[in-house]
Amino acid sequence: MDFGLTEEHRMVQKMVRNFAQKEVAPIIKEYDRKQEMAPFVLQRMGELGILGICFPVRYGGQGMDYISLGLACEELEAVDTTLRVVMSVHVGLNSMGLLQWATEDQKQRFLIPQARGDKVACFGLTEPGVGSDVAGLSSTARRVSDGYLINGEKMWISLATKAHNSLVVARTNSHAADPHDGLSAFLVELDSPGVTTGDIHGKLGVRAGSTGWIAFQDVHVPEENRIGDEGEGFKIAMSCLDNGRYTVAAGATGLIRACLEASVRYANERKAFGREIGKFQLVQQKIATMLQSYEMARLLYLRAGWMKNQGARNTRESSLAKWFATDASFQAAADAIQVHGAYGYSDEYEVERYLRNSKGAVIYEGTSEIHQLMQAGYALGYRSDAALRCELPAYDVEGWQEPM
Ligand SMILES: Cc1cc2nc3c(=O)[nH]c(=O)nc-3n(C[C@H](O)[C@H](O)[C@H](O)COP(=O)(O)OP(=O)(O)OC[C@H]3O[C@@H](n4cnc5c(N)ncnc54)[C@H](O)[C@@H]3O)c2cc1C
């Protein structure tokens, strides 16, 4: 067992930390207030290779491993959740799904431009009437002679108005005995006729990010843009979530770290009753709990990343990492505000934004309740993971560096 990071991991950490701390931290409050995404963020993440971090060089990526992806997410969310959300949808939920399920032709057409950051990608699963109960979704993809016509609406879609491509799950068979088997996945180019998108305003958090809706009215999608076989949409969506949840877990770990660092700083400066508040045991308790949560969350996501590197199925481990880290980051942010007293309640300090941002991750990519049901299901023997037709490829240190 090796708990050490490689030289390459440390380089990734440093590069992403530099970007987030130097280029984004100084302006994030302004964009959070304006409820807008900073205009340079996607472009810079593409230029730095962050959007293609864990893809083979021959598919336009940086040829790094899945642990590098986790470390990048931790650094990004230590500054702002919106940066990590980009990784969750563009990398985890969409591009890694293509790496796992797409044909070689689809990888050439879609994965390469996405990994290079030339095209931005999102993930359209949730609908106005359906979130957790994926098999109940009502968007349809009706077969026509040369492909499919997609109709329906996707809601709460991160990057909906910024993305060029969306992975969309729609119903192709409404008569399937098991509704899970009636779904299929498509890579839809969002400039296709019949697609409209819009932003959702008034969110509690991720205000410097983009969350919106996508409507499809008789959108023609050629057969060669269907990802996987007809009827595999549910399995594809769930394996995309294994990857997205990993990024959410790693990011929430970074948010816990940010809460811890802010609280330690403040506890060493602020005085009450003639001494630094860090000297009071009830303040120490909050700081100790943040430290404990950070270390546990980090171990859980790194284990899931290690399993991805081995090509091992990690649905159970990614779910546990996501559930633990997101609940713990919400608690850490609430405690960080408490440590800051009234100043924590204002946007003079960062911690109020941490709390608003942390809540979303307890809801998206499986609510905490859904993860509890999953974990109980595994523990009780009600649930197990059958092999998939396509698994996420194991990291191959040499093969991933081979040129195009
Ligand atoms: C900021 C943000 C970004 C998002 N980005 C995306 C995105 O990019 N793509 C995308 O497809 N979706 C996205 N989502 C949507 C998100 O994935 C859904 O909100 C989530 O899956 C929950 O679905 P829901 O909101 O419809 O809640 P519901 O499923 O309606 O659940 C409501 C409540 O009921 C509980 N509940 C439901 N079923 C059960 C059960 N069986 N047992 C116990 N409790 C249950 C839930 O835990 C929750 O507390 C985003 C959401 C947010 C807030």
Side-chain angles (χ1 to χ4, degrees):
M1 191 173 288
D2 182 358
F3 283 94
L5 296 181
T6 63
E7 196 49 43
E8 193 179 52
H9 290 145
R10 273 191 281 273
M11 273 168 48
V12 169
Q13 258 180 334
K14 195 170 160 202
M15 181 272 287
V16 179
R17 186 176 298 174
N18 264 340
F19 159 68
Q21 303 279 353
K22 292 194 178 144
E23 299 185 39
V24 183
I27 51 91
I28 192 62
K29 217 180 269 183
E30 175 194 342
Y31 283 94
D32 186 79
R33 278 193 192 131
K34 284 204 275 195
Q35 306 202 24
E36 276 174 26
M37 197 165 187
F40 64 85
V41 157
L42 289 170
Q43 196 190 328
R44 279 296 284 151
M45 288 173 77
E47 283 166 6
L48 293 168
I50 304 174
L51 296 181
I53 194 163
C54 61
F55 300 105
V57 170
R58 70 179 182 284
Y59 292 134
Q62 299 299 309
M64 291 177 189
D65 69 351
Y66 301 112
I67 287 184
S68 302
L69 168 66
L71 295 169
C73 290
E74 183 183 328
E75 293 307 321
L76 291 170
E77 193 157 358
V79 169
D80 196 65
T81 301
T82 54
L83 299 175
R84 191 274 306 150
V85 168
V86 169
M87 300 299 281
S88 294
V89 298
H90 176 90
V91 177
L93 292 168
N94 186 312
S95 305
M96 287 173 79
L98 296 183
L99 183 67
Q100 181 167 354
W101 291 91
T103 61
E104 186 55 35
D105 167 64
Q106 290 169 336
K107 286 180 182 134
Q108 296 293 326
R109 286 189 293 132
F110 301 124
L111 179 56
I112 291 177
Q114 290 182 189
R116 284 182 174 157
D118 295 338
K119 297 268 168 151
V120 173
C122 70
F123 180 73
L125 185 64
T126 307
E127 298 184 349
V130 168
S132 309
D133 181 16
V134 171
L137 63 78
S138 63
S139 295
T140 56
R142 185 168 56 81
R143 231 182 207 289
V144 287
S145 59
D146 51 350
Y148 297 84
L149 284 183
I150 298 193
N151 281 283
E153 192 178 343
K154 296 292 175 180
M155 183 78 179
W156 294 108
I157 307 306
S158 306
L159 300 180
T161 57
K162 309 283 180 199
H164 303 92
N165 299 335
S166 180
L167 199 67
V168 173
V169 181
R171 187 167 303 285
T172 40
N173 180 1
S174 52
H175 305 295
D178 180 343
H180 296 84
D181 298 333
L183 305 180
S184 303
F186 302 88
L187 200 297
V188 181
E189 291 163 283
L190 295 179
D191 60 359
S192 306
V195 175
T196 42
T197 63
D199 283 317
I200 296 172
H201 298 287
K203 290 173 297 178
L204 175 69
V206 290
R207 289 185 175 177
S210 143
T211 318
W213 50 267
I214 310 176
F216 302 91
Q217 196 174 8
D218 284 336
V219 177
H220 181 262
V221 178
E223 176 142 15
E224 55 269 25
N225 286 19
R226 191 191 67 230
I227 308 297
D229 292 338
E230 244 187 48
E232 277 187 326
F234 183 82
K235 287 183 182 142
I236 293 172
M238 292 304 122
S239 54
C240 291
L241 284 165
D242 286 350
N243 301 323
R245 286 166 180 168
Y246 170 64
T247 64
V248 175
T253 307
L255 189 54
I256 300 170
R257 195 182 86 204
C259 292
L260 173 64
E261 287 171 359
S263 300
V264 166
R265 226 173 10 250
Y266 194 77
N268 279 323
E269 284 165 8
R270 178 75 174 176
K271 289 203 170 105
F273 300 94
R275 46 189 175 147
E276 290 85 23
I277 60 166
K279 297 275 163 52
F280 298 117
Q281 288 184 345
L282 289 173
V283 172
Q284 290 179 7
Q285 182 194 43
K286 291 180 183 57
I287 286 171
T289 304
M290 285 178 212
L291 182 72
Q292 180 191 45
S293 298
Y294 173 65
E295 295 293 346
M296 287 164 64
R298 197 158 192 274
L299 286 172
L300 287 175
Y301 95 69
L302 287 174
R303 176 179 65 167
W306 178 84
M307 291 177 76
K308 286 181 191 296
N309 277 354
Q310 309 305 307
R313 185 69 178 272
N314 54 87
T315 303
R316 181 178 187 167
E317 292 76 13
S318 293
S319 153
L320 183 63
K322 191 272 180 187
W323 169 37
F324 178 79
T326 56
D327 273 1
S329 70
F330 183 58
Q331 186 59 50
D335 284 348
I337 291 183
Q338 196 71 13
V339 168
H340 283 68
Y343 288 102
Y345 198 64
S346 86
D347 70 359
E348 185 180 340
Y349 285 83
E350 313 286 321
V351 289
E352 64 85 32
R353 197 178 81 249
Y354 297 163
L355 181 71
R356 291 189 286 101
N357 284 348
S358 68
K359 187 60 190 173
V362 178
I363 296 169
Y364 50 68
E365 305 218 22
T367 63
S368 282
E369 289 78 12
I370 294 300
H371 288 291
Q372 287 174 65
L373 293 178
M374 286 175 71
Q375 294 303 320
Y378 285 118
L380 287 159
Y382 302 160
R383 185 185 171 104
S384 60
D385 295 317
L388 294 167
R389 186 174 66 77
C390 301
E391 301 283 0
L392 185 72
Y395 178 62
D396 168 7
V397 66
E398 277 159 25
W400 284 37
Q401 291 297 333
E402 277 167 18
M404 288 173 120

